[in-house]
Amino acid sequence: MPPARPAILNGLQGAALQVVKDHFGAASESVCAALIRRSQRTLKELQADTELGSAALRNNLLVLIQHNLVSVTVDSTSAARECRYHFEVEEASLRLRYPKFCTHIKSQASMEHARVASQVMEAILEHGRASMAQIIEHCKYGDEEISEDKLVKAGNLLIQEKYIVRAQSNMERADTPAVLFSPTQKKTGKRKAGSAGEERESKLVKLDNGAAGIPLKEDGALKESIDNEGSTWRVNTPAFLWDFRTAAIAQLMEDRFGPQTASLMRLLLRTIRNRALQPANLANGFIPSASVDAMLDASEGRNEDLNVVRTWEVLSEQLSALCQDPAFKSVTKLMGGGSEGSTFKPDISLLMMELRQQILESIVEKKFTARGRRIFRLLLERKYLESKTVWDLSMVPKKDANDILCKMLKAQFVRLQEVPRTIDHNTQRTFFLWYVDLPKVCSIVEDEMYRTINFLLLKREEKKRECENFIGVGGEVSDLTDKQMKKYQALVQQMERVNTAILRLDETIMVMVDANKIEALEETRARMAAM
């Protein structure tokens, strides 16, 4: 019998395990739970942890690897070169957004063949990593027959817009199970290369990491196409995250400055999108800039930004106004030479921090009323304040302010800093200063959100089971009486409301997690610059 879940889980781990259970069953959940307890386990160690049979464990690992939920590394330090497995917790939680990914593709008015592209995306999401043959097989059973030529065009558009990327890792290819599970590797003598060219070619194949067999252009560059022989494709989550982030930032700008500024910011973010999604820029958190000419080129042939007057003078004037806003400088003007001249760079960090603060303040208001939100915002802006200063600046009566501060202290939304004036730490000769530990608050809120997601997933599973039990084994919905049908529809509506709550909460989590990652990258970059 597979072991139970680990006793101590944070919110993200609990939600990830519930997602794995819903999508792949209890056996896969037990494998992931074992990898949460002890990461980087070998196949033999994992079998002892899960108590699953050898065949069942291998099958579950193959499925999890295929869907990018388990990663494999080779322990080169040991003589046996054992494979070690690791559960990608964040990748599992991202599966909650898969329906939104398909809806987003279908809603792209600017994308040709958007409906066909959404079906290609569905096929890739269903298989985890899909080849062209698997995509054709999946779309064969749809409502409408789609030609292979349309599938190729739609798939290439997805590649061009960076919604899907090539699955390149040799360690994760499904056609090499012996590499994934063999505990040892037979040692053989070194084969001498026939020539320097052959040796160079063999090194290139190793460095290419699985990209062999891809057709090349005349200049030697890779020609990416979804129907390239031997290629498999997976979803590129950062591309969707960029689009969702753009929508959130545009809403923020609309609330603050109006629809025209929101459209301008959306156009700027769309112009720099492809460069920002390059692997090197993603790893470093680098945000590129764009010139007015590049923005005009990006807006050509598109009809989404109806509020933007697309002339060089108007765009330059509006962007310069954003750069000079003293209260909220969301765009920076970079004075550069060359053909492009001056370029404009959005301050993604500032924008996402503002979105995160709005979320935190709304949560504080629900927990500690509007006065608590006022105190929380004050302590975010001005750290280390005495109680009397908090009462005066927040304009909250002393008794109410002290009551709110104590409740927020208990919930760890605010902290107290003691500053003794004497070495004996006498309370009468000690200053007590209130402040907000923002990283700690973000961690608490994020964990609570994931725990709520886990609860909602369990609730959805319970409602789904109630619907199945209501119909009975072998029963049909059409067999129900009118009275039974009303009860059944009420259960279905409850399950749909739970689904809606999960999606909405996940949108909030997405903004929070994205803002935290951007802030961490900014801090890392600042430390490296200070060295």
Side-chain angles (χ1 to χ4, degrees), residues 38 40 60 122 140 144 168 178 181 226 245 284 291 299 336 342 357 366 464 468 489 516:
R38 297 179 182 178
Q40 300 296 333
N60 278 283
E122 287 177 9
K140 185 191 300 182
E144 179 186 352
Q168 292 185 345
F181 302 113
I226 198 167
R245 181 196 294 165
N284 299 325
S291 64
S299 65
S342 300
Q357 182 169 336
K366 290 180 181 179
K464 183 179 179 181
E468 293 173 351
Q489 289 176 349
N516 293 340

Side-chain angles (χ1 to χ4, degrees), residues 216-463:
L216 299 179
K217 294 181 181 179
E218 292 181 359
D219 57 358
L222 292 178
K223 181 183 178 182
E224 289 285 17
S225 178
I226 198 167
D227 61 342
N228 284 344
E229 184 179 355
S231 60
T232 57
W233 303 92
R234 57 170 293 179
V235 63
N236 186 29
T237 306
F240 288 97
L241 181 59
W242 181 273
D243 291 352
F244 297 152
R245 181 196 294 165
T246 299
I249 290 175
Q251 186 61 51
L252 171 67
M253 299 300 286
E254 183 174 353
D255 295 340
R256 198 176 185 104
F257 300 106
Q260 187 174 4
T261 306
S263 297
L264 180 67
M265 180 61 72
R266 190 182 295 111
L267 177 58
L268 176 58
L269 292 174
R270 189 175 62 205
T271 305
I272 65 174
R273 178 181 183 275
N274 284 349
R275 283 184 293 159
L277 291 176
Q278 292 177 1
N281 291 337
L282 282 175
N284 299 325
F286 175 74
I287 303 298
S289 58
S291 64
V292 177
D293 292 332
M295 293 175 65
L296 288 171
D297 292 340
S299 65
E300 187 176 354
R302 295 177 180 260
N303 299 317
E304 299 97 325
D305 301 315
L306 299 178
N307 294 308
V308 175
V309 179
R310 302 173 194 175
T311 63
W312 197 96
E313 292 78 8
V314 172
L315 286 180
S316 179
E317 182 181 351
Q318 291 176 344
L319 287 167
S320 298
L322 280 178
C323 296
Q324 296 169 4
D325 190 328
F328 195 70
K329 191 177 178 181
S330 56
V331 178
T332 303
K333 187 175 184 179
L334 305 178
M335 307 299 293
S339 58
E340 288 191 346
S342 300
T343 57
F344 297 89
K345 179 179 179 179
D347 192 341
I348 298 294
S349 177
L350 172 67
L351 293 164
M352 294 307 297
M353 297 311 112
E354 180 69 19
L355 284 170
R356 184 181 65 181
Q357 182 169 336
Q358 288 184 0
I359 293 172
L360 291 175
E361 288 183 7
S362 63
I363 292 172
V364 169
E365 183 173 356
K366 290 180 181 179
K367 285 178 173 288
F368 310 105
T369 71
R371 290 179 171 180
R373 177 174 186 166
R374 202 183 310 163
I375 293 173
F376 184 79
R377 187 190 299 120
L378 172 65
L379 293 175
L380 275 178
E381 294 174 356
R382 302 178 63 177
K383 290 185 176 182
Y384 303 111
L385 299 179
E386 291 186 86
S387 297
K388 187 178 185 306
T389 310
V390 174
W391 310 334
D392 296 339
L393 295 180
S394 64
M395 294 183 290
V396 178
K398 174 181 177 181
K399 182 180 179 182
D400 296 340
N402 284 340
D403 184 48
I404 292 171
L405 284 169
C406 289
K407 289 180 180 178
M408 294 174 72
L409 179 64
K410 185 176 180 181
Q412 301 185 57
F413 276 75
V414 297
R415 295 292 185 93
L416 264 180
Q417 176 68 51
E418 297 182 15
V419 184
R421 288 182 291 176
T422 56
I423 59 174
D424 60 353
H425 290 263
N426 190 306
T427 55
Q428 295 181 351
R429 292 186 293 273
T430 301
F431 293 111
F432 294 94
L433 306 178
W434 298 95
Y435 72 100
V436 172
D437 186 354
L438 189 56
K440 179 66 176 178
V441 174
C442 292
S443 176
I444 291 172
V445 170
E446 185 180 329
D447 189 67
E448 285 183 358
M449 287 181 177
Y450 275 119
R451 290 185 186 279
T452 306
I453 283 275
N454 190 18
F455 171 77
L456 291 173
L457 289 172
L458 292 171
K459 195 72 174 177
R460 184 178 66 180
E461 185 180 2
E462 178 187 340
K463 293 299 177 183

